[in-house]
Amino acid sequence: MNAALNADLHCHSVVSDGTLTPEELALRAKAQGVQLWALTDHDEIGGQARAAAAAAACGLDYLTGVEISVSFLHQTVHIVGLGFDATDAQLIQGLKQTRGGRAERAKEMSADLARIGIKGTFEGALKYVGNPDLISRTHFARYLVETGVCKDTYEVFRKYLTEGKPGYVEHRWASLKDAVHWITEAGGVAVIAHPARYKFSANEELALFTEFKGHGGLGVEVVTGSHSAAESQSYAATAQEFGLAASRGSDFHSPEESRTELGALPALPTGLTPVWALLTERIQHPAV
Ligand code: AMP
Ligand code: MN
Ligand code: MN
Ligand code: MN
């Protein structure tokens, strides 16, 4: 299948930590020239039916999507799932379990920030939450920008909410094995999201890719809004080394905050198998 296709297989709606609805995203993706789209909310597929219907209505090919939070070697790794059956009971239950504990974590984050004098962040973050099951660090970041603590969300994640910084609370997410199995057993393809963002040693990264493959994972994001051109080249080589298909996605969250627009990404480097070539049967085409 066409490696130069304008596929954008990673973005977020109000169902997780994006600011646009699934319908607004579909229209925006279409207007930006996206040809194949997936909505990949964090730990939640409640927006999938709306996204698929909106994609069909504006003439856009669609793959179901999700981005699952995983704990691996004391870091959080994100695994994108594409092309699964969104009614799969095991996947739905696994995601519900993964979302659990976010509210308690958020209260602890708020208490930690209060200790350094930044008060009321739990209530503040809640104003930005579109899905009560999915309060995330992004919602805290928006509140810290609103109240002038930081100038933008990038500054928030440099100074707060990340490991070693105020407001960071370690959390136990899904296991790598479970996340890959939930996606794969629901008929989808599991993909390692934005690999350059993790702070693994070379050996730890090798362990991530080896175990991911061992559990049945088939893809890696090579071109993403989180990668520089050099990082994309580097993970193109990793994809080839591990025999993984390559994915492409902006990780778009918001017109105000995101540096990468929907669909506005370089093409996949040549010589790679695009992940959509593994999913031709799973693509939902609009009726003609
Ligand atoms: P959570 O799932 O609550 O841990 O929130 C993670 C989200 O925070 C990510 O999906 C991003 O949308 C956002 N984020 C932005 N910058 C960073 C960063 N430097 N580190 C972690 N998360 C970030
Ligand atoms: Mn996010
Ligand atoms: Mn991510
Ligand atoms: Mn994402």
Side-chain angles (χ1 to χ4, degrees), residues 17 42 78 102 105 136-138 157 162 173 197 253:
D17 61 349
H42 296 284
H78 286 167
R102 274 188 180 264
R105 169 192 186 236
S136 99
R137 285 185 287 165
T138 314
F157 286 105
T162 48
W173 303 107
R197 272 200 15 205
H253 282 70

Side-chain angles (χ1 to χ4, degrees), residues 13-69:
S13 76
V14 290
V15 171
S16 63
D17 61 349
T19 62
L20 301 184
T21 62
E23 291 79 10
E24 288 167 335
L25 285 166
L27 287 172
R28 192 177 182 99
K30 181 72 181 175
Q32 295 295 334
V34 172
Q35 294 167 292
L36 174 63
W37 176 53
L39 171 67
T40 56
D41 279 310
H42 296 284
D43 306 323
E44 170 72 271
I45 55 175
Q48 291 305 306
R50 287 172 64 185
C58 69
L60 197 52
D61 282 350
Y62 189 74
L63 279 169
T64 53
V66 69
E67 181 176 23
I68 306 183
S69 311

Side-chain angles (χ1 to χ4, degrees), residues 10 12 42 67 78 193-194 197-198 251:
H10 190 150
H12 300 272
H42 296 284
E67 181 176 23
H78 286 167
H194 43 63
R197 272 200 15 205
Y198 311 125
D251 208 354

Side-chain angles (χ1 to χ4, degrees), residues 33-278:
V34 172
Q35 294 167 292
L36 174 63
W37 176 53
L39 171 67
T40 56
D41 279 310
H42 296 284
D43 306 323
E44 170 72 271
I45 55 175
Q48 291 305 306
R50 287 172 64 185
C58 69
L60 197 52
D61 282 350
Y62 189 74
L63 279 169
T64 53
V66 69
E67 181 176 23
I68 306 183
S69 311
V70 158
S71 294
F72 185 80
L73 297 177
H74 298 288
Q75 285 196 51
T76 301
V77 166
H78 286 167
I79 300 296
V80 163
L82 296 170
F84 49 79
D85 169 6
T87 67
D88 183 86
Q90 178 180 249
L91 174 64
I92 290 169
Q93 180 54 34
L95 293 175
K96 187 167 177 228
Q97 182 191 312
T98 306
R99 287 193 300 274
R102 274 188 180 264
E104 295 84 87
R105 169 192 186 236
K107 285 182 189 147
E108 285 181 51
M109 287 164 58
S110 181
D112 199 47
L113 288 169
R115 279 192 274 279
I116 58 158
I118 306 174
K119 308 241 191 279
T121 55
F122 178 73
E123 294 73 17
L126 274 185
K127 291 194 297 179
Y128 293 92
V129 170
N131 170 0
D133 263 8
L134 215 116
I135 179 162
S136 99
R137 285 185 287 165
T138 314
H139 303 115
F140 277 77
R142 289 184 186 135
Y143 180 67
L144 293 180
V145 174
E146 177 201 313
T147 52
V149 174
C150 291
K151 72 173 191 320
D152 59 29
T153 55
Y154 294 94
E155 184 184 348
V156 175
F157 286 105
R158 275 199 309 279
K159 295 188 175 164
Y160 305 99
L161 311 182
T162 48
E163 204 177 346
K165 308 283 165 62
Y168 180 73
V169 173
E170 180 147 6
H171 194 73
R172 186 93 204 141
W173 303 107
S175 72
L176 180 65
K177 178 180 175 185
D178 283 348
V180 174
H181 284 192
W182 297 334
I183 294 163
T184 310
E185 288 165 22
V189 164
V191 174
I192 298 177
H194 43 63
R197 272 200 15 205
Y198 311 125
K199 295 180 175 64
F200 289 128
S201 68
N203 276 339
E204 289 170 337
E205 189 181 78
L206 178 66
L208 171 65
F209 277 82
T210 308
E211 290 186 34
F212 172 76
K213 257 213 96 151
H215 296 313
L218 295 176
V220 58
E221 281 184 351
V222 169
V223 173
T224 115
S226 307
H227 283 182
S228 65
E231 286 166 342
S232 293
Q233 283 305 329
S234 162
Y235 285 98
T238 310
Q240 281 176 321
E241 188 185 329
F242 284 87
L244 294 171
S247 193
R248 179 178 186 267
S250 58
D251 208 354
F252 182 83
H253 282 70
S254 155
E256 287 78 34
E257 295 162 12
S258 292
R259 288 176 181 168
T260 308
E261 180 55 77
L262 283 164
L265 294 155
L268 287 178
T270 52
L272 301 174
T273 303
V275 74
W276 49 93
L278 309 182

